[in-house]
Coordinates of all heavy atoms in Angstrom, one line a residue:
L1 N 72.5 20.6 -89.4 CA 73.4 21.7 -89.2 C 73.2 22.5 -87.9 O 74.1 23.1 -87.4 CB 73.3 22.7 -90.4 CG 73.5 22.1 -91.8 CD1 73.2 23.2 -92.9 CD2 74.9 21.6 -92.0
S2 N 71.9 22.4 -87.4 CA 71.6 23.2 -86.2 C 70.3 22.7 -85.6 O 69.6 22.0 -86.2 CB 71.5 24.7 -86.6 OG 70.4 24.9 -87.5
G3 N 70.1 23.2 -84.4 CA 68.8 23.0 -83.8 C 68.6 21.7 -83.0 O 67.6 21.5 -82.3
I4 N 69.6 20.8 -83.0 CA 69.6 19.6 -82.2 C 70.9 19.4 -81.5 O 72.0 19.5 -82.1 CB 69.4 18.4 -83.1 CG1 68.0 18.5 -83.9 CG2 69.4 17.1 -82.3 CD1 67.8 17.4 -84.9
F5 N 70.8 19.2 -80.2 CA 72.0 19.1 -79.3 C 71.8 17.9 -78.4 O 70.8 17.8 -77.7 CB 72.3 20.3 -78.5 CG 73.5 20.3 -77.7 CD1 74.7 20.2 -78.2 CD2 73.3 20.3 -76.3 CE1 75.9 20.1 -77.4 CE2 74.5 20.2 -75.4 CZ 75.7 20.1 -76.0
E6 N 72.7 17.0 -78.4 CA 72.6 15.8 -77.5 C 71.3 15.0 -77.7 O 70.7 14.6 -76.7 CB 72.9 16.1 -76.1 CG 74.3 16.7 -75.8 CD 74.6 16.9 -74.4 OE1 73.6 17.1 -73.6 OE2 75.8 17.0 -74.0
G7 N 70.9 14.9 -79.0 CA 69.7 14.2 -79.3 C 68.3 14.8 -79.0 O 67.3 14.2 -79.2
K8 N 68.4 16.1 -78.6 CA 67.1 16.8 -78.4 C 67.1 18.2 -79.1 O 68.2 18.8 -79.3 CB 66.9 17.0 -76.9 CG 66.7 15.7 -76.1 CD 66.3 16.0 -74.7 CE 66.0 14.7 -73.9 NZ 65.6 15.0 -72.5
T9 N 65.9 18.6 -79.4 CA 65.8 19.9 -80.0 C 66.1 21.0 -79.1 O 65.8 20.9 -77.8 CB 64.3 20.1 -80.6 OG1 63.4 20.0 -79.5 CG2 64.0 19.1 -81.6
T10 N 66.7 22.1 -79.6 CA 67.0 23.2 -78.7 C 66.0 24.4 -78.8 O 66.2 25.4 -78.0 CB 68.4 23.8 -79.2 OG1 68.3 24.3 -80.5 CG2 69.5 22.7 -79.1
G11 N 65.0 24.3 -79.6 CA 64.1 25.4 -79.8 C 64.5 26.3 -80.9 O 63.8 27.2 -81.3
M12 N 65.7 26.1 -81.4 CA 66.3 27.0 -82.5 C 65.9 26.3 -83.8 O 65.5 25.2 -83.9 CB 67.8 27.1 -82.4 CG 68.3 27.8 -81.1 SD 67.7 29.5 -80.9 CE 66.4 29.2 -79.6
P13 N 66.1 27.1 -84.9 CA 65.8 26.5 -86.3 C 66.6 25.2 -86.5 O 67.8 25.2 -86.2 CB 66.2 27.6 -87.2 CG 66.0 28.8 -86.4 CD 66.4 28.5 -85.0
I14 N 66.0 24.2 -87.0 CA 66.7 23.0 -87.4 C 67.1 23.1 -88.8 O 66.3 22.9 -89.7 CB 65.8 21.7 -87.1 CG1 65.4 21.7 -85.7 CG2 66.5 20.4 -87.6 CD1 64.3 20.6 -85.4
G15 N 68.4 23.3 -89.1 CA 68.9 23.4 -90.4 C 69.4 22.0 -90.9 O 70.1 21.3 -90.1
F16 N 69.3 21.7 -92.2 CA 69.8 20.4 -92.7 C 70.1 20.6 -94.2 O 69.6 21.4 -94.9 CB 68.8 19.3 -92.4 CG 67.4 19.5 -93.1 CD1 67.2 19.1 -94.4 CD2 66.4 20.2 -92.4 CE1 65.9 19.3 -95.0 CE2 65.2 20.4 -93.0 CZ 64.9 20.0 -94.3
I17 N 70.9 19.7 -94.6 CA 71.4 19.7 -96.0 C 71.6 18.3 -96.5 O 72.0 17.4 -95.7 CB 72.6 20.6 -96.2 CG1 72.9 20.8 -97.7 CG2 73.8 19.9 -95.5 CD1 74.0 21.9 -97.9
V18 N 71.3 18.0 -97.8 CA 71.6 16.7 -98.5 C 72.3 17.1 -99.8 O 71.8 17.8 -100.6 CB 70.3 15.9 -98.7 CG1 70.7 14.7 -99.6 CG2 69.7 15.5 -97.4
H19 N 73.6 16.6 -99.9 CA 74.3 16.9 -101.1 C 73.9 16.1 -102.3 O 73.7 14.9 -102.1 CB 75.8 16.8 -100.8 CG 76.4 17.9 -100.0 ND1 76.8 19.1 -100.4 CD2 76.5 17.9 -98.6 CE1 77.2 19.8 -99.4 NE2 77.1 19.2 -98.3
N20 N 73.9 16.7 -103.5 CA 73.7 15.9 -104.7 C 75.0 15.4 -105.1 O 76.0 16.1 -105.1 CB 73.1 16.8 -105.8 CG 71.7 17.3 -105.5 OD1 70.9 16.6 -105.0 ND2 71.4 18.5 -105.9
T21 N 75.1 14.1 -105.5 CA 76.4 13.5 -105.8 C 76.4 12.8 -107.1 O 77.5 12.3 -107.6 CB 76.8 12.5 -104.7 OG1 75.8 11.4 -104.6 CG2 76.9 13.1 -103.3
N22 N 75.3 12.6 -107.8 CA 75.2 11.8 -109.0 C 74.4 12.4 -110.1 O 73.6 11.8 -110.8 CB 74.6 10.4 -108.6 CG 74.7 9.4 -109.7 OD1 73.8 8.7 -110.1 ND2 75.9 9.3 -110.3
Q23 N 74.7 13.7 -110.3 CA 74.0 14.5 -111.4 C 74.6 14.1 -112.7 O 75.9 14.0 -112.8 CB 74.1 16.0 -111.2 CG 73.7 16.5 -109.8 CD 74.9 16.7 -108.9 OE1 75.8 15.8 -108.8 NE2 75.0 17.9 -108.3
N24 N 73.8 13.9 -113.7 CA 74.3 13.7 -115.1 C 73.7 14.9 -115.9 O 72.8 14.7 -116.7 CB 73.9 12.4 -115.7 CG 74.8 11.3 -115.2 OD1 75.8 11.5 -114.6 ND2 74.4 10.0 -115.5
S25 N 74.2 16.1 -115.6 CA 73.5 17.3 -116.3 C 73.7 17.3 -117.8 O 72.8 17.8 -118.5 CB 74.2 18.5 -115.7 OG 74.0 18.6 -114.3
K26 N 74.7 16.6 -118.3 CA 74.9 16.5 -119.8 C 73.7 15.9 -120.5 O 73.4 16.1 -121.6 CB 76.2 15.8 -120.1 CG 76.2 14.4 -119.6 CD 77.5 13.7 -120.0 CE 77.7 12.3 -119.4 NZ 76.6 11.4 -119.7
D27 N 73.0 15.0 -119.7 CA 71.8 14.3 -120.3 C 70.7 15.3 -120.7 O 69.7 14.9 -121.4 CB 71.3 13.3 -119.4 CG 72.2 12.1 -119.3 OD1 73.1 11.9 -120.1 OD2 72.0 11.3 -118.3
Y28 N 70.8 16.5 -120.1 CA 69.7 17.5 -120.3 C 70.0 18.7 -121.2 O 69.2 19.6 -121.4 CB 69.2 18.0 -118.9 CG 68.7 16.9 -118.0 CD1 69.6 16.1 -117.2 CD2 67.3 16.5 -118.1 CE1 69.1 15.1 -116.4 CE2 66.9 15.5 -117.3 CZ 67.8 14.8 -116.5 OH 67.3 13.7 -115.7
G29 N 71.2 18.6 -121.8 CA 71.6 19.8 -122.6 C 70.7 20.0 -123.8 O 70.5 21.1 -124.2
H30 N 70.2 18.9 -124.3 CA 69.3 19.1 -125.5 C 68.0 19.7 -125.2 O 67.2 20.1 -126.1 CB 69.1 17.7 -126.2 CG 68.2 16.8 -125.3 ND1 68.7 16.3 -124.1 CD2 67.0 16.2 -125.5 CE1 67.7 15.5 -123.6 NE2 66.7 15.4 -124.4
L31 N 67.7 19.9 -123.9 CA 66.4 20.5 -123.5 C 66.5 22.0 -123.3 O 65.5 22.6 -122.9 CB 65.9 19.8 -122.2 CG 65.6 18.3 -122.3 CD1 65.3 17.8 -120.9 CD2 64.5 18.0 -123.3
K32 N 67.7 22.6 -123.4 CA 67.9 24.0 -123.1 C 66.9 24.9 -123.8 O 66.4 25.8 -123.2 CB 69.3 24.4 -123.5 CG 69.7 25.8 -123.2 CD 71.1 26.1 -123.5 CE 71.5 27.5 -123.2 NZ 72.9 27.8 -123.5
D33 N 66.6 24.6 -125.0 CA 65.6 25.5 -125.8 C 64.3 24.8 -126.1 O 63.6 25.2 -127.0 CB 66.3 26.0 -127.0 CG 67.6 26.8 -126.7 OD1 67.4 27.7 -125.9 OD2 68.6 26.6 -127.3
L34 N 64.0 23.6 -125.5 CA 62.8 22.9 -125.7 C 61.9 22.9 -124.5 O 62.3 23.1 -123.4 CB 63.2 21.4 -126.1 CG 64.1 21.2 -127.3 CD1 64.3 19.7 -127.5 CD2 63.6 21.8 -128.5
Y35 N 60.6 22.6 -124.8 CA 59.6 22.5 -123.8 C 59.1 21.1 -123.7 O 58.4 20.7 -124.7 CB 58.5 23.5 -124.0 CG 58.9 25.0 -124.0 CD1 58.5 25.8 -125.1 CD2 59.7 25.5 -123.1 CE1 58.8 27.1 -125.1 CE2 60.1 26.8 -123.1 CZ 59.7 27.6 -124.1 OH 60.0 29.0 -124.2
R36 N 59.4 20.4 -122.7 CA 58.8 19.0 -122.6 C 57.3 19.0 -122.3 O 56.9 19.8 -121.4 CB 59.5 18.3 -121.4 CG 61.0 17.9 -121.7 CD 61.7 17.5 -120.4 NE 61.9 18.5 -119.5 CZ 62.4 18.4 -118.3 NH1 62.9 17.2 -117.9 NH2 62.6 19.4 -117.5
P37 N 56.6 18.2 -123.0 CA 55.1 18.1 -122.9 C 54.8 17.8 -121.4 O 55.3 16.9 -120.8 CB 54.7 17.0 -123.8 CG 55.8 17.0 -124.9 CD 57.0 17.3 -124.1

């Protein structure tokens, strides 16, 4: 997102992000009120 220009660092913060695309959150609904060992 930031901090790199034309293949080199600018000295500014290097921001980056990776999107989650394959979550199966429904698989974890039964854990809402449980504590996994």
Side-chain angles (χ1 to χ4, degrees):
L1 304 176
S2 63
I4 300 177
F5 181 66
E6 295 183 339
K8 292 186 178 181
T9 58
T10 64
M12 300 298 107
I14 301 172
F16 59 90
I17 192 170
V18 173
H19 288 275
N20 294 323
T21 62
N22 191 228
Q23 311 97 310
N24 281 352
S25 300
K26 59 180 174 54
D27 289 344
Y28 299 88
H30 67 297
L31 299 175
K32 182 177 181 180
D33 297 312
L34 303 181
Y35 301 130
R36 288 169 292 177

